[in-house]
Amino acid sequence: MSFSPRPRKDHLDGLAVGILLMCCMFWGFQQVLVKATVAELPPVFQSAVRGVGATLLLWLWCQRRGVRLFDRDGSLWAGLLVGCLFAVEFAFIYIGLQHTSASRLTVFLYTSPFWVAALLPFFIRTERLRPLQWLGMACAFAAVVFALREGFGGGGAMGDLMGLAAGALWGLTTVAIRAANLTRLAAEKLLFYQLAVSTMVLLLLSHGMGEPWDGHWSGFAMGSVAVQTVIGAFASYLAWMWMLGHYPATKISAFVFLTPLFALLFGMLWLGEAVTLTLVLSLTLVAVGIVLVNRK
């Protein structure tokens, strides 16, 4: 895929749809991959290692393309905040996958747009919600309550709550980016803040938690971290930011909600995770809520 300059489009072409489907499929698969790897590599350490590799790859990418990462542009403190939020989000995701299924955690993680919709109007007054969008928020809230009830009954409540916290932190990251006007930065620099800062925070957190860093790395574990690094934290995020610069954000955002469906499918096929009626109904309610919140 070429990242050469292209004019903005007001519709999704075949290239856009193909990239979006591949990204969503991988993001759903990645949650299952992480859960399968936790048995060999501690969760926070696993996330930190992937961050180290992705940060290096992004730095090399920027060097080749002449993207300046360290110019003084007034973005330092906001960038550090965004990186810290990004770090804690992924700590919750990776730890949470030890306590609940990948499909359940992904449903809670993708409540992120509702946190954005609820909090962003406090910083950007033009982002106030209309009645139909509030209805979408209510659907999402009902879905979360509905799914959490099953988690408390089945012993997976801790993982569910961590997934919900990760979704909130993802939303807060978006709010911080918008409120601090970090979208004025090059996409690569904004991603570099998130990867570089979060990697340092995750390494410190992993060390503070006493996670072992010298465990046995099987061929599967090495392959898993390599895939998470190259495709997940580097290529897919960079492709997503490229898409945001060339296609309507509202139209491409609708696709990300295929991710929980892919997580549900891969979790069932690979890990044998149960697909309950409650989980399917909750996912449906979340999807309906997202559509309503994004209605213009």
Side-chain angles (χ1 to χ4, degrees):
M1 178 178 58
S2 172
F3 280 81
S4 58
R6 291 162 52 100
R8 283 192 64 87
K9 296 187 176 183
D10 59 3
H11 65 281
L12 299 182
D13 55 21
L15 175 64
V17 172
I19 293 172
L20 286 167
L21 286 175
M22 286 190 293
C23 284
C24 293
M25 184 179 296
F26 179 79
W27 292 336
F29 171 73
Q30 182 174 243
Q31 308 289 45
V32 179
L33 182 61
V34 170
K35 186 172 179 65
T37 311
V38 162
E40 296 187 46
L41 299 179
V44 178
F45 176 64
Q46 186 182 157
S47 182
V49 171
R50 118 183 161 141
V52 170
T55 301
L56 178 59
L57 287 173
L58 182 59
W59 180 78
L60 292 172
W61 171 273
C62 292
Q63 289 291 106
R64 180 175 180 180
R65 295 181 60 85
V67 178
R68 302 175 71 87
L69 295 174
F70 303 106
D71 287 353
R72 294 185 178 181
D73 53 17
S75 66
L76 178 61
W77 292 109
L80 292 176
L81 172 62
V82 165
C84 289
L85 290 171
F86 194 74
V88 183
E89 172 198 339
F90 275 90
F92 275 124
I93 291 172
Y94 276 65
I95 296 173
L97 284 167
Q98 291 183 302
H99 302 285
T100 191
S101 68
S103 52
R104 287 185 65 84
L105 185 136
T106 306
V107 170
F108 290 107
L109 176 63
Y110 277 80
T111 59
S112 167
F114 303 104
W115 295 104
V116 176
L119 297 175
L120 196 56
F122 289 102
F123 301 93
I124 302 176
R125 303 186 70 83
T126 57
E127 296 283 351
R128 289 178 177 175
L129 299 182
R130 296 185 299 279
L132 186 63
Q133 292 172 308
W134 278 114
L135 177 60
M137 293 283 286
C139 285
F141 180 76
V144 169
V145 172
F146 195 46
L148 277 175
R149 287 181 59 202
E150 184 179 60
F152 278 108
M158 179 181 293
D160 291 352
L161 290 172
M162 286 186 172
L164 189 59
L169 285 158
W170 184 5
L172 284 171
T173 302
T174 302
V175 170
I177 289 171
R178 291 286 307 279
N181 194 27
L182 291 181
T183 52
R184 73 184 189 277
L185 304 177
E188 290 91 343
K189 181 166 184 175
L190 181 54
L191 181 57
F192 189 80
Y193 268 128
Q194 294 174 76
L195 288 176
V197 175
S198 67
T199 297
M200 291 186 288
V201 173
L202 287 167
L203 285 171
L204 290 172
L205 181 59
S206 175
H207 179 70
M209 292 172 62
E211 290 185 341
W213 290 11
D214 56 352
H216 172 68
W217 286 60
S218 68
F220 169 76
M222 290 188 287
S224 171
V225 172
V227 169
Q228 292 178 52
T229 299
V230 178
I231 301 178
F234 173 66
S236 70
Y237 291 169
L238 198 56
W240 175 256
M241 292 193 174
W242 179 83
M243 292 284 294
L244 286 173
H246 292 82
Y247 297 93
T250 52
K251 293 184 179 181
I252 68 174
S253 293
F255 271 77
V256 303
F257 306 111
L258 291 172
T259 302
L261 292 175
F262 284 121
L264 202 71
L265 176 63
F266 289 125
M268 178 181 64
L269 294 177
W270 186 0
L271 302 179
E273 294 180 349
V275 179
T276 65
L277 179 61
T278 297
L279 185 59
V280 172
L281 290 175
S282 298
L283 179 57
T284 302
L285 271 176
V286 167
V288 169
I290 286 163
V291 170
L292 293 177
V293 167
N294 284 281
R295 289 290 295 272
K296 294 297 183 183

